[in-house]
């Protein structure tokens, strides 16, 4: 008999340990006191639940239950703005703005020539004459120039022709450079003067300190003024690769509004700041070491201006 017990007891203990402890599916009911509210007004949700844990998704961007597995955000528009000034000289057609989607990052004269560059200078209003004040060139949408899966490069070209025949070179500056991406997340700076990753490519002979120069807050373009005034000079200043594709934002996350240690939650307030239609989602969870069971309730909230 003792031998039989020695055999049966470990087996019974193993069976008991391997059996999962069941947990109940939580009850959860949610009602909004008002289904239509004004922007800036607090929505009040009445809750009846025995869930150990509650979480809340407001339905706003980055807080949407439908994107709990992840989301990528496409740009609706890509905008470029900058300002220019010029002084001295009479030479024409020296300053130009270009875009490329097939430049391969070879910042040499050969690399520039191998790429396809779109001249977009005519989109902008450049400084018309001598001015010590930088004049805004406008804000232009570059979305139509982008190519899916390829970065965008922006280049500023400065040409000085032999000055006896074509007139003395002007001094150009470009400041206030900004590339912004616009999406459901709002406006995001993709590049500015400090983060543009400027690279200078010089072609032709240059007097000391002349040609394209990267300064603290602007690009400056100086023509030769000593030994090489009759040289043909072509300088480029080109940005880093500016990514224009979708951005992986990862999953949208809910806000924990009740933990296991806290008493049942009867009411939850939340303020919506922007007009729109939102699907507020409440997730009730009961969890143990073996299981997690959930109940989900959703309430549509309309926010007016």
């Amino acid at each position: 008999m003792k031998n039989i017990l020695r055999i049966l007891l470990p087996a019974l203990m193993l069976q008991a340990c391997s059996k999962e402890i069941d947990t109940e599916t939580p009850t959860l009911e949610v009602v909004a006191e008002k289904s239509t509210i004004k922007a800036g007004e607090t929505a009040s949700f009445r809750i009846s639940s025995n869930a150990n844990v509650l979480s809340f998704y407001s339905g706003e961007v980055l807080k949407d239950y439908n994107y709990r597995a992840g989301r990528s955000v496409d740009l609706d528009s890509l905008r470029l703005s900058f300002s220019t000034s010029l002084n001295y000289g009479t030479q024409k057609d020296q300053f130009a703005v270009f875009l490329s989607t097939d430049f391969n990052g070879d910042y040499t004269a050969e690399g520039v020539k191998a790429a396809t560059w779109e001249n977009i200078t005519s989109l902008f209003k450049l400084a018309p004459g001598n001015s010590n004040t930088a004049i805004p060139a406008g804000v232009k949408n570059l979305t139509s120039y982008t190519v899916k899966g390829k970065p965008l490069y922006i280049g500023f070209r400065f040409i000085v022709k032999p000055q006896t025949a074509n007139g003395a070179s002007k001094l150009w500056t470009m400041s206030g450079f900004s590339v912004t991406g616009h999406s459901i997340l709002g406006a995001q700076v993709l590049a500015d003067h400090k983060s543009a990753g400027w690279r200078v490519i010089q072609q032709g002979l240059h007097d000391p300190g002349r040609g394209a120069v990267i300064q603290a807050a602007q690009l400056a373009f100086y023509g030769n003024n000593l030994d090489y005034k009759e040289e043909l000079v072509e300088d480029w200043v080109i940005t880093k690769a500016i990514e224009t594709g979708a951005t992986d934002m990862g999953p949208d996350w809910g806000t924990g509004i009740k933990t296991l240690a806290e008493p049942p939650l009867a009411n939850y307030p939340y303020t919506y700041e922007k007009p729109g239609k939102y699907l507020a989602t409440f997730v009730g969870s009961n969890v143990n070491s073996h299981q997690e069971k959930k109940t989900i309730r959703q309430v549509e909230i309309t926010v007016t201006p």
Side-chain angles (χ1 to χ4, degrees):
M1 185 67 180
K2 289 182 178 179
N3 290 333
I4 293 173
L5 289 174
R6 287 194 188 101
I7 296 172
L8 289 177
L9 282 174
L12 290 171
M13 291 176 66
L14 180 63
Q15 182 179 5
C17 291
S18 63
K19 185 177 180 180
E20 288 189 354
I21 302 172
D22 195 25
T23 186
E24 294 183 350
T25 300
T27 61
L28 175 60
E29 298 299 332
V30 181
V31 177
E33 290 187 359
K34 293 168 63 178
S35 60
T36 300
I37 60 174
K38 291 185 177 182
E41 184 180 351
T42 298
S44 182
F45 300 94
R46 295 197 300 270
I47 302 170
S48 176
S49 177
N50 67 355
N52 294 330
V53 177
L54 286 172
S55 57
F56 170 72
Y57 295 79
S58 68
E60 298 164 295
V61 176
L62 302 182
K63 302 176 182 179
D64 192 333
Y65 181 76
N66 291 327
Y67 293 93
R68 64 193 181 280
R71 73 157 77 221
S72 61
V73 175
D74 292 311
L75 292 180
D76 298 321
S77 65
L78 182 75
R79 303 176 192 177
L80 169 63
S81 62
F82 58 89
S83 298
T84 60
S85 71
L86 73 139
N87 279 289
Y88 319 117
T90 58
Q91 195 165 136
K92 297 180 180 180
D93 302 324
Q94 290 189 278
F95 181 87
V97 190
F98 291 84
L99 302 177
S100 179
T101 57
D102 64 3
F103 179 60
N104 65 3
D106 177 13
Y107 292 91
T108 64
E110 292 74 20
V112 172
K113 290 176 181 176
T116 304
W117 294 91
E118 181 87 16
N119 190 331
I120 60 168
T121 310
S122 62
L123 299 179
F124 297 92
K125 183 180 179 180
L126 302 182
N130 289 347
S131 172
N132 290 319
T133 303
I135 297 174
V139 181
K140 300 300 177 181
N141 189 345
L142 305 182
T143 308
S144 62
Y145 296 94
T146 62
V147 176
K148 187 175 182 179
K150 293 186 177 182
L152 185 71
Y153 293 86
I154 300 173
F156 292 89
R157 188 190 68 184
F158 179 62
I159 289 180
V160 184
K161 298 175 183 177
Q163 296 182 50
T164 298
N166 296 281
S169 177
K170 296 177 180 177
L171 163 60
W172 283 88
T173 68
M174 189 284 296
S175 59
F177 176 82
S178 177
V179 180
T180 53
H182 298 255
S183 68
I184 58 173
L185 302 178
Q188 295 176 296
V189 177
L190 303 181
D192 57 16
H193 182 72
K194 289 185 177 180
S195 65
W198 299 117
R199 299 284 293 275
V200 176
I201 301 97
Q202 292 188 333
Q203 300 175 75
L205 297 173
H206 290 68
D207 289 322
R210 312 305 285 187
V213 179
I214 303 170
Q215 298 178 339
Q218 65 182 14
L219 302 180
F221 302 89
Y222 301 94
N224 286 328
N225 62 348
L226 295 173
D227 298 331
Y228 299 115
K229 293 173 66 175
E230 301 309 312
E231 285 287 327
L232 174 63
V233 170
E234 179 177 332
D235 285 3
W236 287 72
V237 186
I238 301 175
T239 65
K240 65 181 181 182
I242 298 172
E243 299 297 334
T244 62
T247 301
D248 183 359
M249 302 301 298
D252 283 20
W253 295 98
T255 300
I257 59 176
K258 181 196 175 304
T259 65
L260 178 63
E262 295 174 324
L265 186 66
N267 183 273
Y268 183 70
Y270 187 82
T271 302
Y272 289 90
E273 299 293 346
K274 295 182 180 180
K277 286 190 174 183
Y278 302 94
L279 191 62
T281 302
F282 292 80
V283 181
S285 303
N286 282 343
V287 184
N288 62 29
S289 59
H290 296 281
Q291 292 180 332
E292 179 181 12
K293 291 186 177 179
K294 295 181 178 181
T295 299
I296 299 165
R297 294 289 182 262
Q298 295 181 310
V299 180
E300 187 173 282
I301 299 295
T302 300
V303 181
T304 60

